[in-house]
């Protein structure tokens, strides 16, 4: 369904990079969630550019919640959040040049030339600000139920971060970092490598690894709304994601069944598994263990290096250099977007299982 | 939406491993597709066990199309295909034992003990027979429009197949192989390794790589029904899939932007890209190049080795050995399932872009 | 979404009048509903022809539940019910004749001549047998929660039945009648008038009035899934329904606001309204009072009188007389269909409000 | 799906009567529709209060299109239209009083007291301004294809307007009237009766009759997305609609089959029917004749007469008089809302049949 995703909790996005406003409508969240505007701002800040390694488009991301919140609580009706666009330098963009790795040509193919092409239009990463603002409210709801989401930069510019290990239990520190690594030294290495790529007018990508704790067993569907299906559907909508894997993911293909299978145990109180190669999901349904997945984020396609391409209006083969603002890496910024869509999908799955009032606020 | 997937073309599955029938309803396919029952049988045969490396449950998969086809053509109304279950040895299964890597425990958590647990019930790979029969009709429709799907076993039991290369242009030979590798010697190696694992009461996994040619540019949506989103949603519903990646996929994270970006060119007739690291998709929308993706298939969880687990009825920690029929590898059988769900998703996307009559049969 | 309706509980129908089987898939019903095959048969019998006033196509409606039920309880996975077609005299039908009031011409316009035209094909009232079988399971679930549905023939062939009055509290007697009137004398009058129309090779219509008791307040949505919206969506899919009204319905336009408004009261235990002109629904949401609505059922379009029409293949203006079996009235048969779709919609709304386990079976 | 309706073209509404903004997102309209802001304003004016017979809340309805339109053309991406609320006198409303005929009590039942109760909140008729602004763009698209929608006040305060007759062919004059009757003398009578009811602190209702011309044959689905189902689903979301009927509607129950059936004819060029008792729809699908339907609009529930009701917070039986602004009749204002949702549903059905580019703009 085009720009809407979700069953019981549905998110609709709208806006273009250089239009008047971007935003989102979140429908179906339970009534009674406390909406903390400071937390929304905090999340939006995590999505915003960071230091030398990001684009100089420094917008304040002033959002306005125009509906669905009353006396600082969600009302249960659609929450529309709008974020006005400022600082929109349209002059940087020319129509007809198919920037390699971008959607200029595919947008033209789809929308017959009527697309708002400025700054990537509706395909712009800027639209993710609406996801993040919406996701912040979903995250608040989940935390009330003891469900926590944490994502770190597992790999960036060929540098690997530490393993999650015990951080699975406390994601707060991680969630407040602008450059979310477990091992800050590795983070510094990554940043140096990003800066090096930038100085070559080039860009780098990375892997984000996410863990969700506190989910009850029994969430999700065998066909077709498995937890993996619903999450991957949302995650592959995040610009630059080219791969999604759960638990052992692609590494599972080098394992034997006896290594991959997660043995169940009962500790007198709870059922768990000794390993978690299935990422907390069996048959599409949560088993009560942490849900673990990874997203491959491609290197930012916007680079200032000269590239071969076409002008699709004139059908000429041309060379292009993309000037103006851009990020040599968006992995660290994509992190909070991943957390946000994860939270929205989980609220949807919880609402389907437990009903509209799953939060239990009265 | 639980057991239904798709917007304009929607697939609904039903059935349990040891119930009366399994089957599927496909709704929204254009009227006028020639339905070739031999081709459906052929596709079902590809899904069926193969030689020593597969389960001895040899059912003929006799399907019956009970609606939606008239005079060998689709009518445009829902096509229901039922496949009776035969040879269902229920005695092999006991309730309460959480087979590691299986959905026994999660099904119990979700359905409160009312689930049909025999042979995995609704979670069984057997349900994919309905996908394959449905997908066969979708494949026939796509071929009429010059759209072809081919999948090979890129990796299995640590053995790698040859690269797709020129096979992208001709997938017919590949599609007729029971063990779909490009390099048959590599296939023999794989089979030996599978047999070796089987002899150890163990199992192996693998990677399936799919290429789709002939898709026009302009199919898909930026948010949230990107081609990647729609395909991954369907693919992660296929049992044992733990990862999905498009184009360069997870490898893209080690590339620079200048390496990853696919330069466009115009050859006087068509727009193409020199490389295809984005897998034929920019911004969620097809660019006219082949769509390429890979699925990680985990080693079959059903192994006869002794494993630790629980009885979730009695909450006891126990040891289990799974006897009865099972496959030491399902990668080669999953291949046609992947092709089938791919075809159904593509028909859906084409129908949304071009309308119900996209096939143009009059 | 074409042949599927519902959000959390979804019904998919398939089949053609003279195909192999018709049937339905119901997905999303809670696990643990006791499935009473006798009750399903009973409901199917109510839909079947009755005495002289109905078509001589007397099929036994032997249904088979092929999935989703285990040990006589729903499993929570899709329930597929198939009903084989028997006694299908295809010779009665010729292609190209647009029977007035029927879908022959519109089916041709939509499906380009590929439609199964025999006996109305997928448009046939026979498809409602699948709705009735599915609805029977939904009705059983609702009754477990004290929710009852009753429908009487409020008007038929210009004869009016008694008012609902106290029958609202006990619908059992009504639900077991083959010709569901409150005042049997009125029923006899109706039947005589139906027979009189039949003797003139003509047909009559009527109004069905439905009451649902026991629904809690707070079910439904303001936009767009109001209780009225969801019910009317399903009801207008029932063949021959040309009008749907709630509470005072079209009569409300002759009332003053002070007459139409239903005054609330609190009796020390429950909130109620003194009148029920709004049919138990305010702002799209149940208020705890009985939900009341009426459906206009047009006279059966199949009549043996000579009629003017076209042959849409040859584009000739012709005269036609429809021989073969048909009903001079279907109002009494449509009754159980209305009850069935009502039950399915209510299960959907309850599941959205209270979650998958709204029935509370453990 | 709660506040979103439509498959290929979907409308999402948000906002509360006294919140910051109300608005709507329309997704899936074709690229290339010329957006005429004057026409949107004109349509919003038709929804606004009119003379003595309407509420004194005279807001300018200044709307802003914040996305999806570029260079005065739709881009094919979501169009978000926001309308700021002004002149919001919150003091008029007290929490806990269940205004008879209103959603105060049901909102409380559904949202557990977290609802924004001011002025009806999300249930307010004010939300329809978003429908009207969205619908205006849909109407422009339809007119490009020769599809016209016209609605008149068929009955109001017991006064009947003239029959549609030849007005079916030209709806322009009608569409520009603030009080849309065919016979202005009848309109004056209606207005006098409305004023008389107002002077008694009471209100009246009416019937709106709509005709759509220019639709091709073959639009809609047999189950469950019949044209009747889709339109009624949307229409019953419009506040105060308590009945919807197509063609002869409830009158069909007093007709014989031979009277009700519409005889087809072929005039050498086109297929038509002599009568149109089925309202242009057979089997849920358009037959090329005008689509005709009527909506019953109940008398405005907001009246200043003293009424019995409850305070649902204190559970007291009370008397209430509703002061502040309100309309003694909303039938004339509802007219443009009906046209708007009709246009959106038709765009959806056309898009499903003919694809995203059904408008053919390049």
């Amino acid at each position: 369904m085009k720009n809407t995703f979700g069953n019981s909790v549905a998110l609709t996005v709208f806006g273009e990079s250089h239009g008047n406003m971007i935003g989102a409508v979140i429908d179906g969240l339970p009534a009674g969630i406390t909406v903390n505007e400071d937390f929304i701002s905090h999340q939006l800040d995590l999505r915003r550019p960071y230091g030398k390694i990001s684009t100089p488009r420094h917008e304040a991301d002033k959002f306005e919640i125009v509906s669905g919140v009353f006396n600082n609580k969600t009302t249960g009706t659609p929450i529309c959040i709008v974020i006005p666009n400022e600082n929109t330098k349209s002059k940087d963009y020319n129509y007809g040049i198919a920037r390699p790795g971008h959607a200029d040509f595919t947008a033209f193919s789809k929308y017959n030339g009527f697309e708002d092409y400025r700054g990537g239009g509706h395909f712009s990463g800027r639209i993710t600000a609406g996801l993040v603002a919406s996701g912040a409210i979903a995250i608040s709801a989940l935390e009330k139920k003891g469900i926590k989401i944490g994502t770190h930069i597992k790999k960036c510019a060929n540098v690997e971060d530490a393993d999650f290990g015990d951080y699975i239990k406390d994601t707060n520190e991680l969630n407040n970092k602008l450059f979310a690594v477990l091992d800050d030294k590795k983070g510094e290495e990554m940043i140096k490598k990003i800066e090096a790529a930038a100085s070559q007018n080039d860009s780098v990508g990375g892997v984000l690894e996410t863990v969700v704790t506190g989910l009850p067993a029994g969430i999700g569907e065998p066909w077709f709304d498995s937890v993996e299906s619903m999450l991957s559907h949302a995650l592959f909508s995040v610009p630059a994601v080219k791969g999604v894997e759960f638990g052992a993911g692609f590494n599972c293909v080098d394992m034997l069944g006896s290594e991959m299978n997660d043995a169940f145990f009962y500790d007198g109180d709870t059922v768990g598994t000794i390993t978690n190669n299935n990422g907390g999901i069996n048959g599409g349904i949560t088993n009560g263990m942490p849900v673990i997945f990874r997203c491959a984020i491609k290197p930012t396609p916007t680079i200032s290096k000269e590239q071969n391409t076409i002008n699709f209006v004139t059908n000429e083969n041309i060379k292009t250099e993309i000037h103006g603002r851009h990020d040599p890496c968006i992995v660290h910024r994509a992190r909070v977007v991943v957390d946000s869509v994860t939270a929205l999908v989980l609220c949807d799955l919880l609402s389907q299982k437990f009903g509209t009032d799953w939060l239990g606020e009265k």
Side-chain angles (χ1 to χ4, degrees), chain A:
Chain A
M1 233 186 108
K2 298 189 173 73
N3 294 273
T4 298
F5 184 64
N7 296 304
S8 294
V9 174
L11 181 72
T12 301
V13 293
F14 57 85
E16 287 86 31
S17 180
H18 289 58
N20 290 357
M21 292 178 180
I22 64 113
V25 182
I26 325 107
D27 192 14
L29 285 180
I33 306 172
T34 301
V35 175
N36 182 339
E37 299 215 349
D38 288 344
F39 179 61
I40 299 174
S41 288
H42 169 258
Q43 293 292 94
L44 285 169
D45 283 348
L46 293 176
R47 197 202 71 90
R48 288 182 52 226
Y50 164 61
K52 285 189 223 163
I53 61 172
S54 291
T55 164
R57 179 176 174 168
H58 282 183
E59 297 188 17
D61 282 339
K62 283 175 198 149
F63 64 92
E64 186 184 1
I65 301 177
V66 304
S67 70
V69 175
F70 181 51
N71 293 334
N72 285 321
K73 303 268 189 184
T74 56
T75 59
T77 56
I79 302 162
C80 179
I81 306 177
V82 296
I83 306 175
N85 283 325
E86 296 166 15
N87 186 16
T88 56
K89 298 195 210 163
S90 301
K91 287 179 195 164
D92 294 337
Y93 304 96
N94 289 311
Y95 189 61
I97 299 171
R99 289 171 300 157
H102 274 281
D104 306 311
F105 172 68
T106 55
F108 165 76
S109 302
K110 180 174 177 59
Y111 300 114
N112 302 326
F114 293 108
E115 69 275 10
D116 180 349
Y117 55 83
R118 299 167 301 164
H122 188 55
F123 293 78
S124 166
R126 175 136 184 82
I127 307 304
T128 60
L131 298 179
V132 170
S134 309
I137 301 174
I139 287 169
S140 296
L142 294 172
E143 292 201 337
K144 241 339 289 288
K145 300 296 278 186
I147 300 164
K148 293 200 167 194
I149 303 169
T151 298
H152 75 120
I153 304 167
K154 188 180 172 54
K155 191 179 184 184
C156 184
N158 280 314
V159 180
E160 296 231 18
D161 191 21
D163 281 342
F164 246 124
D166 289 345
Y167 283 84
I168 286 181
K169 282 170 196 160
D170 180 6
T171 50
N172 283 347
E173 190 196 339
L174 181 64
N175 286 347
N176 286 318
K177 288 186 180 179
L178 282 170
F179 197 88
V181 286
L182 301 171
D183 180 339
D184 288 330
K185 284 194 185 156
K186 294 294 184 179
E188 284 163 31
E189 264 187 69
M190 291 176 190
I191 290 173
K192 268 185 202 149
K193 287 224 177 177
I194 296 170
E195 289 170 346
S199 73
Q200 301 294 316
N201 299 324
D202 221 323
S203 65
V204 299
V207 174
L208 291 170
E209 183 173 53
T210 302
V211 65
V212 184
T213 56
L215 279 173
I219 307 295
E221 300 290 336
W223 321 81
F224 292 90
D225 288 355
S226 73
V227 177
E228 291 113 323
S229 290
M230 292 297 286
L231 281 172
S232 72
H233 191 135
L235 292 165
F236 273 119
S237 295
V238 177
V241 171
K242 296 304 280 186
V244 174
E245 61 178 15
F246 292 83
F250 277 89
N251 285 337
C252 79
V253 308
D254 297 334
M255 296 162 83
L256 290 167
S258 57
E259 294 165 320
M260 176 70 188
N261 280 352
D262 302 309
F264 287 97
F265 67 87
Y266 180 70
D267 66 4
D269 179 50
T270 318
V271 170
T273 62
I274 291 165
T275 51
N276 191 8
N277 292 315
N278 286 282
I281 306 165
N282 296 128
I285 296 174
T286 53
N287 64 15
M289 289 292 289
V291 167
I292 297 173
F293 59 88
R294 279 170 297 283
C295 298
I297 312 287
K298 74 175 181 176
T300 327
T302 320
I303 55 175
S304 48
K305 234 176 196 165
E306 189 184 76
Q307 297 179 89
N308 290 313
T309 192
I310 58 163
N311 179 311
F312 53 77
V313 174
T314 62
N315 273 333
E316 287 171 297
N317 287 297
I318 59 171
K319 285 187 189 301
T320 188
E321 285 175 38
I322 308 171
H323 295 296
R325 55 204 178 198
H326 39 79
D327 297 294
C329 179
I330 54 162
V331 179
H332 55 297
R333 297 180 62 190
R335 188 253 303 197
V336 70
V337 183
V338 164
D339 286 359
S340 298
V341 299
T342 300
L344 289 159
V345 168
L346 295 177
C347 285
D348 186 17
L349 294 172
L350 288 164
S351 185
Q352 287 183 71
K353 174 75 175 166
F354 298 113
T356 310
D357 296 334
W358 58 268
L359 195 61
E361 297 293 326
K362 298 272 169 181

